[in-house]
Amino acid sequence: MSARWVRASFFCFVVAGCASGPDYDRPKMPAPQNFRQGGPAVEASLANVPWWELFKDEQLRTLIKVALHENHDLKIAIERIEEARANFGIAKADFYPAVSANVTTGALNTSDSSLTHTQNGSTDTKALYNVGLGLSWELDFFGRIRRASEAARATMMATEEARRSVAISLVSDVALAYVDLRSLDRRLEIAKTTLVSRKEQVEFSKTRFEGSVANEVDFRQAQAEEARIQTQVYEYEKLVVQRENELSFLLGRNPAAIMRNRSAEDQPIPPDVPVGLPAALLERRPDVRKAEMELWSATARIGEARAMLYPRISLTANYGLASGDLSELVDPASQSWNLFANLMQPIFEGGKNTARVEMRESQQRQSLYAYQRTLLNALREVEDSLVGFHSAGLQRMALGERVTAEKKVLELSTLRYRGGVANYLEVLDSQRSLFDAEIAEASAASEHSKSLIRLYKALGGGWPMPKAEPQNQAPKKTAAGPKKGPG
């Protein structure tokens, strides 16, 4: 082994150092080839559609834009990114030397009884002037600072994913509340229209009762049915105001009325909704990415803890001018300087450093389990949303057919009653069935739209994903798990 090779190796060790602990690699997670309810596996996904293209209601798009600017939860998430970015800057600053300046001026008059008192009989006060620069620099041989900086960067990226998660949830929450509000409008309209017909029925029954054509029971049953529908009107009016208050909160505003589209047109539902590949959730779902960034940070903290088992080497230097006479401060004879190298090796600390490593390793395993749980939960939410979407569509179709049939039943029972063939109870049952069917159909139409929004959220939809990964990002797609780094 040549001396030149030894010198080169030593130079690389001094400059590059050695990062202790495991390097982060994305753990392998067995994911299904396709979703149970998603049909054949295709790369296209509903999540690739931006929210401003998915939602066709112009008023809804306006509300979402307001929420993205004014919602307080989103503002908090953004400030947490700023906090994490500042923490990353603090951790990264330890890479560089710390330089400080010092200026001291004063006077000294020692006691005659002091051990430092000179025996020349002089009691004059002595002045002191000192100007200096100090430098201290820890050489990161074993990667403690590097791992701490890596952990802080991963935490910062986790907060960015947390902000994205809040934004996606906010978009879906506003859309869900808006769709629900419009559904309540429709149900309230159905109840009010039904109430008008019930009032007419009460007057008709009253006229028949007073003319001794029908008995009092028919008249009182009509009154009871009118009161039942009136109660439903009051209930829907209350729910409308509460949903408006919920939307106002999401918009970051005081409770107020919400401008909305009053037309009967619903959110368009595509006949075929592609959901993409299950593996794409690793890149798209912000909660999965956040859990992965937290796992990366916890892995880097192991290296930081292990580096504390090894020596810490630092350089300190000082240069200054000191004099008892201000006029002589810049004299070359007043110069002073020092340069020291310091090595500190922990020998015995009661097992504290070893316990710190064990703690970090346990935290890393917890983060790994949390990441696995988050991914499994993401797959479950997509499957639940898929079956909910398909079921809601079928229910909506079935309830539409029921409403058509119930209208015909009411028409026939009314003719039978007025012809004296049937009693009023048959008409009353038909009225109740039709009202319940119309309310159920309106609820099913709303649920169909909301199931599409839930599926969109479960797939991580909201904004198109960037095509390129950030530079120097640690997670890798093909790795099997944590592996030991050099050192």
Side-chain angles (χ1 to χ4, degrees), residues 10 54 119 126 152 191 219 294 345 354 378:
F10 179 76
L54 178 69
Q119 302 299 322
K126 297 180 179 179
F219 172 51
E294 290 172 346
Q345 169 63 54
T354 302

Side-chain angles (χ1 to χ4, degrees), residues 40 99 146 176 306 370 373 441 455 475 481 483:
V99 180
R146 193 177 318 156
L176 289 171
R306 285 184 181 172
R373 180 192 62 193
E441 183 191 30
L455 177 59
K483 64 180 183 180

Side-chain angles (χ1 to χ4, degrees), residues 29 54 82 104 108-110 136 138 176 211 214 231 234 256 294 307 309 324 432 450 455 458 469 477 480:
M29 286 290 293
L54 178 69
E82 297 302 318
T104 304
L108 176 65
N109 186 10
T110 59
S136 62
E138 180 179 345
L176 289 171
T231 302
Y234 294 148
E294 290 172 346
L309 297 170
R432 289 173 177 172
K450 291 196 291 185
L455 177 59
E469 292 287 337
K477 298 180 181 178

Side-chain angles (χ1 to χ4, degrees), residues 257-276:
I258 298 296
M259 294 292 296
R260 51 193 180 274
N261 184 0
R262 299 284 185 172
S263 70
E265 183 179 356
D266 290 317
Q267 163 70 29
I269 305 295
D272 186 23
V273 178
V275 294

Side-chain angles (χ1 to χ4, degrees), residues 186-340:
R186 184 167 301 175
R187 281 177 274 176
L188 178 59
E189 181 182 353
I190 292 171
K192 287 182 175 180
T193 303
T194 304
L195 182 60
V196 171
S197 69
R198 295 299 185 269
K199 289 181 182 294
E200 294 174 352
Q201 185 64 42
V202 169
E203 291 299 322
F204 176 73
S205 299
K206 181 180 179 181
T207 302
R208 286 171 61 88
F209 168 62
E210 291 175 346
S212 301
V213 179
N215 56 39
E216 187 178 358
V217 173
D218 292 351
F219 172 51
R220 298 305 177 188
Q221 285 178 331
Q223 284 184 321
E225 178 64 11
E226 178 192 358
R228 186 178 78 90
I229 301 301
Q230 182 68 70
T231 302
Q232 292 293 317
V233 170
Y234 294 148
E235 177 67 16
Y236 288 131
E237 287 176 343
K238 178 197 74 174
L239 293 176
V240 164
V241 173
Q242 290 178 341
R243 195 64 75 241
E244 286 181 324
N245 293 341
E246 178 187 347
L247 265 172
S248 296
F249 173 75
L250 293 173
L251 299 178
R253 296 174 175 176
N254 294 326
I258 298 296
M259 294 292 296
R260 51 193 180 274
N261 184 0
R262 299 284 185 172
S263 70
E265 183 179 356
D266 290 317
Q267 163 70 29
I269 305 295
D272 186 23
V273 178
V275 294
L277 303 175
L281 294 179
L282 292 174
E283 302 297 338
R284 179 168 289 282
R285 285 269 300 222
D287 56 340
V288 175
R289 291 172 63 88
K290 174 178 177 290
E292 184 178 6
M293 296 303 103
E294 290 172 346
L295 174 59
W296 175 19
S297 177
T299 303
R301 292 294 180 191
I302 297 176
E304 179 189 13
R306 285 184 181 172
M308 298 180 74
L309 297 170
Y310 305 123
R312 295 178 64 173
I313 303 174
S314 60
L315 300 176
T316 58
N318 289 280
Y319 173 81
L321 301 170
S323 175
D325 189 341
L326 183 61
S327 62
E328 298 178 357
L329 185 63
V330 296
D331 192 285
S334 300
Q335 297 183 36
S336 65
W337 63 270
N338 61 68
L339 175 64
F340 296 100

